[in-house]
Amino acid sequence: MSTRILLATRNAGKLVELRRMLSGFEIVGLSDVPEFPDAPETGATFAENALAKARDAAAATGLVSVADDSGLAVDALNGMPGVLSARWSGRHGDDAANTALLLAQLGDVPDERRGAAFVCAAALVVPGGEETVVHGEWKGTIVRAPRGTNGFGYDPVFVPAGEDRTSAELDPAEKDAASHRALALAALVPHLQALG
């Protein structure tokens, strides 16, 4: 029998992506388990936040748990919004407000200095056992206006290196093959397979 794996996220867009990327495993979401309190994301790094979320989920449910923390690191903003990406505008999960603020902050930054990277830390916690954290990074640039309707978060303003389309203009399979989350999850798969 395969191990059930809990994806510890309440972000609907992220859950869809993670389910696609881990389609070979028996996946359950937070809506499939009894509710438990979310610990605040107080870590200084993506890895700290991902590990805290996975630990909380594993302790509350007894299930092998995977959590990620990810965000956008913009060169001209010294790596910000970073771990504050989801609440950059002051309202957690308000993608439109977060993106609008980011574009306003980069308004005077010339195109050649608009480098950025999506960064992801994914954590796997086995109750009473192994803890693993892996990372993925997707380099690109920030465009001046949103384009595309796929994805979520900052996808409409992020153009991956070597592309002329934003992440939100890529189809899901293209994004799943290259994104920061895809790279982190690919690194996590061998650890999940080892669980049997």
Side-chain angles (χ1 to χ4, degrees), residues 22-90:
L22 295 174
S23 60
F25 298 93
E26 185 184 350
I27 301 297
V28 295
L30 289 175
S31 61
D32 303 316
V33 299
E35 197 166 327
F36 59 91
D38 287 329
E41 291 185 12
T42 57
T45 67
F46 294 117
E48 288 174 13
N49 286 331
L51 199 50
K53 287 188 271 190
R55 282 176 178 155
D56 286 351
T61 66
L63 293 172
V64 171
S65 297
V66 170
D68 91 302
D69 193 36
S70 52
L72 183 68
V74 178
D75 298 346
L77 299 177
N78 296 318
M80 298 304 284
V83 294
L84 303 175
S85 291
R87 52 193 177 277
W88 191 234
S89 66

Short mmCIF file of all heavy atoms in Angstrom, two decimals, residues 22-90:
data_model
loop_
_atom_site.label_atom_id
_atom_site.label_comp_id
_atom_site.label_asym_id
_atom_site.label_seq_id
_atom_site.Cartn_x
_atom_site.Cartn_y
_atom_site.Cartn_z
N LEU A 22 2.93 15.73 -8.25
CA LEU A 22 3.09 14.50 -7.45
C LEU A 22 1.98 13.50 -7.80
O LEU A 22 1.53 12.74 -6.94
CB LEU A 22 3.05 14.84 -5.96
CG LEU A 22 4.20 15.71 -5.45
CD1 LEU A 22 3.98 16.10 -4.00
CD2 LEU A 22 5.54 15.01 -5.62
N SER A 23 1.59 13.47 -9.06
CA SER A 23 0.44 12.65 -9.47
C SER A 23 0.68 11.15 -9.26
O SER A 23 -0.26 10.38 -9.21
CB SER A 23 0.07 12.93 -10.92
OG SER A 23 1.17 12.63 -11.77
N GLY A 24 1.92 10.74 -9.12
CA GLY A 24 2.20 9.32 -8.91
C GLY A 24 2.04 8.86 -7.47
O GLY A 24 2.27 7.68 -7.17
N PHE A 25 1.65 9.76 -6.58
CA PHE A 25 1.54 9.44 -5.15
C PHE A 25 0.10 9.61 -4.70
O PHE A 25 -0.68 10.32 -5.33
CB PHE A 25 2.45 10.35 -4.32
CG PHE A 25 3.91 10.20 -4.65
CD1 PHE A 25 4.51 11.02 -5.59
CD2 PHE A 25 4.67 9.22 -4.03
CE1 PHE A 25 5.85 10.87 -5.91
CE2 PHE A 25 6.01 9.06 -4.35
CZ PHE A 25 6.61 9.90 -5.28
N GLU A 26 -0.25 8.95 -3.56
CA GLU A 26 -1.58 9.14 -2.98
C GLU A 26 -1.55 10.43 -2.15
O GLU A 26 -0.93 10.49 -1.08
CB GLU A 26 -1.95 7.95 -2.10
CG GLU A 26 -3.37 8.06 -1.57
CD GLU A 26 -3.76 6.94 -0.61
OE1 GLU A 26 -3.01 5.96 -0.50
OE2 GLU A 26 -4.81 7.09 0.03
N ILE A 27 -2.21 11.46 -2.68
CA ILE A 27 -2.13 12.80 -2.11
C ILE A 27 -3.44 13.16 -1.43
O ILE A 27 -4.52 12.91 -1.96
CB ILE A 27 -1.85 13.84 -3.22
CG1 ILE A 27 -0.54 13.53 -3.95
CG2 ILE A 27 -1.87 15.25 -2.67
CD1 ILE A 27 0.69 13.59 -3.10
N VAL A 28 -3.34 13.74 -0.23
CA VAL A 28 -4.50 14.34 0.41
C VAL A 28 -4.17 15.80 0.72
O VAL A 28 -3.00 16.16 0.88
CB VAL A 28 -4.91 13.59 1.71
CG1 VAL A 28 -5.39 12.19 1.39
CG2 VAL A 28 -3.79 13.56 2.72
N GLY A 29 -5.20 16.63 0.75
CA GLY A 29 -5.02 18.05 1.07
C GLY A 29 -5.53 18.35 2.46
O GLY A 29 -6.11 17.48 3.13
N LEU A 30 -5.36 19.58 2.90
CA LEU A 30 -5.80 19.96 4.24
C LEU A 30 -7.31 19.85 4.40
O LEU A 30 -7.80 19.61 5.51
CB LEU A 30 -5.33 21.39 4.56
CG LEU A 30 -3.83 21.53 4.78
CD1 LEU A 30 -3.45 23.00 4.96
CD2 LEU A 30 -3.36 20.71 5.99
N SER A 31 -8.06 19.97 3.30
CA SER A 31 -9.52 19.83 3.39
C SER A 31 -9.93 18.38 3.63
O SER A 31 -11.09 18.10 3.96
CB SER A 31 -10.18 20.36 2.11
OG SER A 31 -9.74 19.61 0.99
N ASP A 32 -8.99 17.43 3.46
CA ASP A 32 -9.28 16.01 3.66
C ASP A 32 -8.97 15.51 5.07
O ASP A 32 -9.19 14.33 5.37
CB ASP A 32 -8.47 15.17 2.66
CG ASP A 32 -8.74 15.55 1.22
OD1 ASP A 32 -9.92 15.74 0.86
OD2 ASP A 32 -7.77 15.67 0.44
N VAL A 33 -8.44 16.37 5.92
CA VAL A 33 -8.06 15.98 7.28
C VAL A 33 -8.74 16.91 8.27
O VAL A 33 -9.14 18.02 7.90
CB VAL A 33 -6.52 16.01 7.48
CG1 VAL A 33 -5.83 15.04 6.54
CG2 VAL A 33 -5.96 17.42 7.31
N PRO A 34 -8.87 16.48 9.53
CA PRO A 34 -9.46 17.38 10.53
C PRO A 34 -8.65 18.69 10.62
O PRO A 34 -7.42 18.68 10.53
CB PRO A 34 -9.36 16.60 11.84
CG PRO A 34 -9.29 15.16 11.41
CD PRO A 34 -8.55 15.17 10.09
N GLU A 35 -9.38 19.78 10.78
CA GLU A 35 -8.72 21.10 10.82
C GLU A 35 -7.82 21.22 12.05
O GLU A 35 -8.13 20.71 13.11
CB GLU A 35 -9.78 22.20 10.84
CG GLU A 35 -9.23 23.55 10.48
CD GLU A 35 -10.33 24.57 10.18
OE1 GLU A 35 -11.38 24.17 9.64
OE2 GLU A 35 -10.12 25.74 10.49
N PHE A 36 -6.71 21.88 11.85
CA PHE A 36 -5.79 22.18 12.95
C PHE A 36 -5.30 23.61 12.76
O PHE A 36 -5.34 24.14 11.66
CB PHE A 36 -4.63 21.18 13.03
CG PHE A 36 -3.77 21.12 11.78
CD1 PHE A 36 -2.65 21.93 11.64
CD2 PHE A 36 -4.08 20.23 10.75
CE1 PHE A 36 -1.87 21.87 10.50
CE2 PHE A 36 -3.30 20.17 9.61
CZ PHE A 36 -2.19 20.99 9.48
N PRO A 37 -4.87 24.28 13.85
CA PRO A 37 -4.48 25.68 13.73
C PRO A 37 -3.21 25.85 12.90
O PRO A 37 -2.26 25.06 13.01
CB PRO A 37 -4.26 26.14 15.17
CG PRO A 37 -4.13 24.89 15.98
CD PRO A 37 -4.80 23.79 15.23
N ASP A 38 -3.22 26.88 12.06
CA ASP A 38 -2.03 27.22 11.28
C ASP A 38 -1.08 28.04 12.14
O ASP A 38 -1.49 29.04 12.74
CB ASP A 38 -2.40 28.10 10.07
CG ASP A 38 -3.11 27.32 8.99
OD1 ASP A 38 -2.84 26.12 8.86
OD2 ASP A 38 -3.93 27.91 8.28
N ALA A 39 0.17 27.63 12.17
CA ALA A 39 1.17 28.44 12.86
C ALA A 39 1.52 29.62 11.94
O ALA A 39 1.54 29.47 10.72
CB ALA A 39 2.42 27.62 13.14
N PRO A 40 1.77 30.78 12.50
CA PRO A 40 2.15 31.91 11.65
C PRO A 40 3.50 31.68 10.98
O PRO A 40 4.36 30.98 11.53
CB PRO A 40 2.22 33.09 12.64
CG PRO A 40 2.40 32.47 13.98
CD PRO A 40 1.75 31.11 13.91
N GLU A 41 3.65 32.22 9.76
CA GLU A 41 4.92 32.11 9.05
C GLU A 41 5.87 33.17 9.57
O GLU A 41 5.84 34.31 9.13
CB GLU A 41 4.70 32.27 7.54
CG GLU A 41 3.96 31.11 6.92
CD GLU A 41 3.85 31.23 5.41
OE1 GLU A 41 4.54 32.08 4.81
OE2 GLU A 41 3.07 30.47 4.83
N THR A 42 6.69 32.78 10.53
CA THR A 42 7.59 33.74 11.16
C THR A 42 9.05 33.49 10.83
O THR A 42 9.93 34.19 11.32
CB THR A 42 7.42 33.70 12.70
OG1 THR A 42 7.66 32.36 13.15
CG2 THR A 42 6.01 34.13 13.10
N GLY A 43 9.33 32.48 10.02
CA GLY A 43 10.71 32.15 9.67
C GLY A 43 11.36 33.25 8.83
O GLY A 43 10.68 33.97 8.10
N ALA A 44 12.67 33.33 8.95
CA ALA A 44 13.42 34.33 8.17
C ALA A 44 13.77 33.81 6.78
O ALA A 44 14.21 34.57 5.94
CB ALA A 44 14.70 34.71 8.91
N THR A 45 13.57 32.50 6.57
CA THR A 45 13.90 31.91 5.28
C THR A 45 12.75 31.04 4.80
O THR A 45 11.89 30.62 5.57
CB THR A 45 15.16 31.01 5.37
OG1 THR A 45 14.85 29.87 6.20
CG2 THR A 45 16.35 31.77 5.95
N PHE A 46 12.74 30.77 3.48
CA PHE A 46 11.75 29.87 2.91
C PHE A 46 11.84 28.49 3.58
O PHE A 46 10.83 27.87 3.88
CB PHE A 46 11.95 29.73 1.40
CG PHE A 46 11.69 31.00 0.63
CD1 PHE A 46 12.72 31.62 -0.08
CD2 PHE A 46 10.44 31.58 0.60
CE1 PHE A 46 12.49 32.78 -0.80
CE2 PHE A 46 10.19 32.74 -0.12
CZ PHE A 46 11.22 33.34 -0.81
N ALA A 47 13.06 28.01 3.81
CA ALA A 47 13.26 26.68 4.40
C ALA A 47 12.65 26.61 5.80
O ALA A 47 11.99 25.62 6.16
CB ALA A 47 14.74 26.33 4.44
N GLU A 48 12.86 27.63 6.62
CA GLU A 48 12.31 27.64 7.98
C GLU A 48 10.78 27.57 7.96
O GLU A 48 10.17 26.82 8.72
CB GLU A 48 12.76 28.89 8.75
CG GLU A 48 14.21 28.88 9.14
CD GLU A 48 14.66 30.20 9.77
OE1 GLU A 48 13.80 31.04 10.12
OE2 GLU A 48 15.88 30.40 9.91
N ASN A 49 10.17 28.36 7.07
CA ASN A 49 8.71 28.38 6.98
C ASN A 49 8.16 27.05 6.47
O ASN A 49 7.17 26.54 6.99
CB ASN A 49 8.23 29.53 6.09
CG ASN A 49 8.36 30.88 6.77
OD1 ASN A 49 8.27 30.99 7.98
ND2 ASN A 49 8.56 31.91 5.98
N ALA A 50 8.79 26.49 5.44
CA ALA A 50 8.32 25.21 4.88
C ALA A 50 8.41 24.11 5.94
O ALA A 50 7.47 23.31 6.10
CB ALA A 50 9.15 24.84 3.65
N LEU A 51 9.52 24.05 6.65
CA LEU A 51 9.71 23.02 7.66
C LEU A 51 8.71 23.17 8.81
O LEU A 51 8.14 22.19 9.28
CB LEU A 51 11.15 23.08 8.19
CG LEU A 51 11.69 21.86 8.90
CD1 LEU A 51 11.47 20.58 8.11
CD2 LEU A 51 13.18 22.04 9.19
N ALA A 52 8.45 24.39 9.22
CA ALA A 52 7.47 24.62 10.29
C ALA A 52 6.08 24.15 9.87
O ALA A 52 5.37 23.50 10.65
CB ALA A 52 7.44 26.10 10.68
N LYS A 53 5.68 24.46 8.63
CA LYS A 53 4.36 24.04 8.15
C LYS A 53 4.27 22.52 8.07
O LYS A 53 3.25 21.93 8.46
CB LYS A 53 4.08 24.66 6.77
CG LYS A 53 3.78 26.15 6.82
CD LYS A 53 3.31 26.67 5.47
CE LYS A 53 4.44 27.11 4.60
NZ LYS A 53 4.00 27.84 3.39
N ALA A 54 5.31 21.88 7.55
CA ALA A 54 5.29 20.41 7.42
C ALA A 54 5.31 19.75 8.79
O ALA A 54 4.61 18.74 9.01
CB ALA A 54 6.47 19.95 6.57
N ARG A 55 6.08 20.29 9.73
CA ARG A 55 6.12 19.72 11.09
C ARG A 55 4.75 19.82 11.76
O ARG A 55 4.29 18.86 12.39
CB ARG A 55 7.15 20.46 11.94
CG ARG A 55 8.58 20.06 11.68
CD ARG A 55 9.52 20.93 12.51
NE ARG A 55 10.91 20.54 12.33
CZ ARG A 55 11.93 21.37 12.52
NH1 ARG A 55 11.73 22.62 12.91
NH2 ARG A 55 13.17 20.93 12.32
N ASP A 56 4.11 21.00 11.65
CA ASP A 56 2.79 21.18 12.26
C ASP A 56 1.79 20.19 11.68
O ASP A 56 1.01 19.58 12.41
CB ASP A 56 2.28 22.61 12.02
CG ASP A 56 2.97 23.65 12.88
OD1 ASP A 56 3.74 23.27 13.79
OD2 ASP A 56 2.76 24.85 12.63
N ALA A 57 1.81 20.03 10.35
CA ALA A 57 0.85 19.13 9.69
C ALA A 57 1.09 17.68 10.10
O ALA A 57 0.14 16.94 10.39
CB ALA A 57 0.96 19.28 8.17
N ALA A 58 2.35 17.27 10.14
CA ALA A 58 2.67 15.90 10.52
C ALA A 58 2.27 15.62 11.97
O ALA A 58 1.71 14.57 12.29
CB ALA A 58 4.16 15.63 10.32
N ALA A 59 2.54 16.58 12.87
CA ALA A 59 2.20 16.41 14.28
C ALA A 59 0.69 16.35 14.49
O ALA A 59 0.19 15.57 15.30
CB ALA A 59 2.81 17.54 15.11
N ALA A 60 -0.05 17.18 13.74
CA ALA A 60 -1.50 17.26 13.93
C ALA A 60 -2.24 16.08 13.32
O ALA A 60 -3.30 15.69 13.81
CB ALA A 60 -2.03 18.56 13.33
N THR A 61 -1.68 15.48 12.26
CA THR A 61 -2.42 14.46 11.51
C THR A 61 -1.81 13.07 11.58
O THR A 61 -2.49 12.08 11.27
CB THR A 61 -2.52 14.85 10.02
OG1 THR A 61 -1.20 14.82 9.46
CG2 THR A 61 -3.15 16.22 9.84
N GLY A 62 -0.52 12.99 11.91
CA GLY A 62 0.16 11.70 11.88
C GLY A 62 0.50 11.24 10.48
O GLY A 62 0.95 10.11 10.28
N LEU A 63 0.29 12.11 9.49
CA LEU A 63 0.58 11.75 8.10
C LEU A 63 1.94 12.30 7.66
O LEU A 63 2.38 13.35 8.15
CB LEU A 63 -0.49 12.34 7.16
CG LEU A 63 -1.90 11.79 7.29
CD1 LEU A 63 -2.87 12.60 6.44
CD2 LEU A 63 -1.94 10.32 6.90
N VAL A 64 2.56 11.60 6.72
CA VAL A 64 3.74 12.15 6.06
C VAL A 64 3.29 13.46 5.41
O VAL A 64 2.27 13.50 4.71
CB VAL A 64 4.27 11.17 4.99
CG1 VAL A 64 5.34 11.82 4.14
CG2 VAL A 64 4.76 9.89 5.64
N SER A 65 4.01 14.54 5.67
CA SER A 65 3.56 15.86 5.22
C SER A 65 4.61 16.57 4.38
O SER A 65 5.80 16.51 4.70
CB SER A 65 3.20 16.72 6.43
OG SER A 65 2.12 16.15 7.13
N VAL A 66 4.12 17.22 3.33
CA VAL A 66 4.96 18.04 2.46
C VAL A 66 4.41 19.45 2.50
O VAL A 66 3.20 19.67 2.35
CB VAL A 66 4.96 17.50 1.01
CG1 VAL A 66 5.64 18.49 0.07
CG2 VAL A 66 5.63 16.15 0.94
N ALA A 67 5.30 20.41 2.69
CA ALA A 67 4.91 21.82 2.64
C ALA A 67 5.98 22.57 1.90
O ALA A 67 7.15 22.17 1.89
CB ALA A 67 4.74 22.39 4.05
N ASP A 68 5.57 23.65 1.26
CA ASP A 68 6.58 24.48 0.62
C ASP A 68 6.37 25.92 1.03
O ASP A 68 5.29 26.31 1.46
CB ASP A 68 6.55 24.32 -0.92
CG ASP A 68 5.63 25.32 -1.59
OD1 ASP A 68 4.43 25.35 -1.27
OD2 ASP A 68 6.12 26.09 -2.43
N ASP A 69 7.43 26.68 0.94
CA ASP A 69 7.33 28.12 1.06
C ASP A 69 8.09 28.66 -0.12
O ASP A 69 9.19 28.20 -0.44
CB ASP A 69 7.91 28.64 2.39
CG ASP A 69 7.50 30.09 2.64
OD1 ASP A 69 6.36 30.46 2.30
OD2 ASP A 69 8.32 30.86 3.16
N SER A 70 7.47 29.57 -0.80
CA SER A 70 8.09 30.08 -2.01
C SER A 70 7.73 31.53 -2.19
O SER A 70 6.80 32.05 -1.57
CB SER A 70 7.65 29.26 -3.22
OG SER A 70 6.24 29.17 -3.26
N GLY A 71 8.49 32.18 -3.05
CA GLY A 71 8.22 33.58 -3.30
C GLY A 71 9.15 34.11 -4.36
O GLY A 71 9.92 33.38 -4.98
N LEU A 72 9.09 35.40 -4.53
CA LEU A 72 9.83 36.09 -5.57
C LEU A 72 10.94 36.92 -4.94
O LEU A 72 10.69 37.69 -4.01
CB LEU A 72 8.87 37.00 -6.35
CG LEU A 72 9.44 37.75 -7.53
CD1 LEU A 72 9.80 36.78 -8.66
CD2 LEU A 72 8.42 38.77 -8.04
N ALA A 73 12.15 36.75 -5.44
CA ALA A 73 13.30 37.54 -4.99
C ALA A 73 13.73 38.44 -6.15
O ALA A 73 14.13 37.95 -7.20
CB ALA A 73 14.45 36.62 -4.59
N VAL A 74 13.58 39.74 -5.96
CA VAL A 74 13.86 40.71 -7.03
C VAL A 74 15.20 41.39 -6.76
O VAL A 74 15.42 41.94 -5.67
CB VAL A 74 12.73 41.76 -7.11
CG1 VAL A 74 13.02 42.80 -8.18
CG2 VAL A 74 11.39 41.08 -7.38
N ASP A 75 16.09 41.34 -7.75
CA ASP A 75 17.44 41.88 -7.59
C ASP A 75 17.43 43.34 -7.16
O ASP A 75 18.13 43.73 -6.22
CB ASP A 75 18.24 41.74 -8.90
CG ASP A 75 18.43 40.29 -9.32
OD1 ASP A 75 18.19 39.38 -8.49
OD2 ASP A 75 18.80 40.06 -10.48
N ALA A 76 16.63 44.17 -7.82
CA ALA A 76 16.62 45.61 -7.55
C ALA A 76 16.04 45.95 -6.18
O ALA A 76 16.19 47.07 -5.69
CB ALA A 76 15.85 46.36 -8.64
N LEU A 77 15.37 44.97 -5.57
CA LEU A 77 14.80 45.16 -4.23
C LEU A 77 15.58 44.35 -3.19
O LEU A 77 15.05 44.01 -2.13
CB LEU A 77 13.32 44.75 -4.22
CG LEU A 77 12.39 45.54 -5.13
CD1 LEU A 77 10.97 44.98 -5.06
CD2 LEU A 77 12.40 47.03 -4.80
N ASN A 78 16.85 44.06 -3.49
CA ASN A 78 17.71 43.33 -2.56
C ASN A 78 17.11 42.00 -2.11
O ASN A 78 17.20 41.62 -0.94
CB ASN A 78 18.06 44.19 -1.35
CG ASN A 78 18.88 45.40 -1.73
OD1 ASN A 78 19.79 45.30 -2.54
ND2 ASN A 78 18.53 46.55 -1.18
N GLY A 79 16.47 41.29 -3.04
CA GLY A 79 15.91 39.99 -2.73
C GLY A 79 14.50 40.00 -2.19
O GLY A 79 13.93 38.94 -1.93
N MET A 80 13.93 41.16 -2.00
CA MET A 80 12.55 41.24 -1.54
C MET A 80 11.64 41.10 -2.75
O MET A 80 12.07 41.32 -3.86
CB MET A 80 12.31 42.58 -0.82
CG MET A 80 13.16 42.76 0.43
SD MET A 80 12.99 41.45 1.64
CE MET A 80 11.42 41.84 2.36
N PRO A 81 10.38 40.75 -2.60
CA PRO A 81 9.65 40.54 -1.36
C PRO A 81 10.02 39.26 -0.60
O PRO A 81 9.68 39.14 0.57
CB PRO A 81 8.18 40.53 -1.78
CG PRO A 81 8.17 40.28 -3.24
CD PRO A 81 9.48 40.75 -3.77
N GLY A 82 10.70 38.31 -1.24
CA GLY A 82 11.20 37.14 -0.51
C GLY A 82 10.12 36.43 0.28
O GLY A 82 9.04 36.15 -0.25
N VAL A 83 10.40 36.14 1.56
CA VAL A 83 9.45 35.40 2.38
C VAL A 83 8.16 36.19 2.63
O VAL A 83 7.17 35.63 3.09
CB VAL A 83 10.05 34.94 3.74
CG1 VAL A 83 11.15 33.92 3.53
CG2 VAL A 83 10.51 36.11 4.55
N LEU A 84 8.16 37.47 2.29
CA LEU A 84 6.96 38.30 2.45
C LEU A 84 6.13 38.37 1.18
O LEU A 84 5.17 39.14 1.09
CB LEU A 84 7.37 39.73 2.87
CG LEU A 84 8.19 39.83 4.15
CD1 LEU A 84 8.63 41.27 4.39
CD2 LEU A 84 7.40 39.30 5.34
N SER A 85 6.46 37.57 0.16
CA SER A 85 5.82 37.66 -1.15
C SER A 85 4.29 37.62 -1.09
O SER A 85 3.63 38.40 -1.75
CB SER A 85 6.32 36.56 -2.08
OG SER A 85 7.67 36.77 -2.42
N ALA A 86 3.72 36.71 -0.31
CA ALA A 86 2.27 36.54 -0.29
C ALA A 86 1.56 37.69 0.42
O ALA A 86 0.35 37.87 0.26
CB ALA A 86 1.89 35.22 0.38
N ARG A 87 2.29 38.47 1.20
CA ARG A 87 1.67 39.58 1.95
C ARG A 87 2.39 40.90 1.72
O ARG A 87 2.39 41.77 2.58
CB ARG A 87 1.57 39.22 3.43
CG ARG A 87 2.86 38.76 4.06
CD ARG A 87 2.62 38.13 5.44
NE ARG A 87 3.83 37.63 6.04
CZ ARG A 87 4.37 36.44 5.77
NH1 ARG A 87 3.81 35.65 4.90
NH2 ARG A 87 5.46 36.04 6.38
N TRP A 88 3.03 41.04 0.56
CA TRP A 88 3.85 42.22 0.26
C TRP A 88 3.05 43.51 0.36
O TRP A 88 3.56 44.52 0.82
CB TRP A 88 4.46 42.05 -1.13
CG TRP A 88 5.53 43.03 -1.48
CD1 TRP A 88 5.56 43.84 -2.59
CD2 TRP A 88 6.74 43.30 -0.78
NE1 TRP A 88 6.71 44.58 -2.60
CE2 TRP A 88 7.46 44.27 -1.49
CE3 TRP A 88 7.29 42.81 0.41
CZ2 TRP A 88 8.69 44.77 -1.08
CZ3 TRP A 88 8.51 43.31 0.83
CH2 TRP A 88 9.19 44.27 0.09
N SER A 89 1.79 43.49 -0.04
CA SER A 89 0.95 44.69 -0.01
C SER A 89 0.33 44.92 1.36
O SER A 89 -0.37 45.91 1.56
CB SER A 89 -0.16 44.58 -1.05
OG SER A 89 -1.04 43.52 -0.69
N GLY A 90 0.54 43.99 2.29
CA GLY A 90 -0.07 44.11 3.61
C GLY A 90 -1.31 43.26 3.76
O GLY A 90 -1.84 43.14 4.85
#
